Amino acid sequence: MRIKYEQNFHPIGQGLFYSSSLYLNNNILANVIFDCGSENIKLIKKRIKELNSNDIDVLIISHLHYDHISGLDFLLKNRRVNTVVLPYLIPKE
């Protein structure tokens, strides 16, 4: 049995976008996205298109600042996201 974990920091300028994959015997077990935003929307769209899978098992959002969530609309329209983890939000948010 061979287990592999791969994590990628995507250089998208001001913002944050990480993706990671967990493999078992070269088969993908899980794809995870951590935040999905950039001040440069063209660059974040390009990076989303380059992801290795159409299925995202877990999308984790650290907080709701624009440079961490600006690519969400595009991501959700172009990939299937199974689970979303959001920060605690007060009712006003």
Side-chain angles (χ1 to χ4, degrees):
M1 175 175 22
R2 182 169 178 250
I3 297 173
K4 177 182 168 186
Y5 176 75
E6 182 179 272
Q7 184 171 3
N8 298 298
F9 167 74
H10 300 279
I12 41 81
Q14 174 63 36
L16 187 64
F17 183 40
Y18 278 95
S19 63
S20 59
S21 297
L22 180 64
Y23 299 87
L24 176 61
N25 297 327
N26 293 324
N27 295 314
I28 293 178
L29 289 179
N31 284 306
V32 178
I33 300 289
F34 184 81
D35 282 348
C36 185
S38 173
E39 293 292 329
N40 184 334
I41 199 67
K42 284 185 180 181
L43 193 51
I44 193 84
K45 286 180 179 182
K46 179 181 180 211
R47 297 296 182 202
I48 290 169
K49 289 177 185 176
E50 294 172 353
L51 292 173
N52 65 353
S53 176
N54 284 327
D55 290 317
I56 307 301
D57 297 292
V58 180
L59 169 63
I60 302 167
I61 303 299
S62 64
H63 61 283
L64 301 179
H65 289 167
Y66 181 76
D67 62 338
H68 289 251
I69 63 167
S70 62
L72 285 180
D73 188 46
F74 187 80
L75 177 73
L76 295 172
K77 287 180 181 175
N78 290 278
R79 297 290 187 266
R80 185 176 28 246
V81 177
N82 297 321
T83 302
V84 179
V85 178
L86 294 169
Y88 174 77
L89 301 172
I90 60 174
K92 179 181 169 182
E93 294 173 307

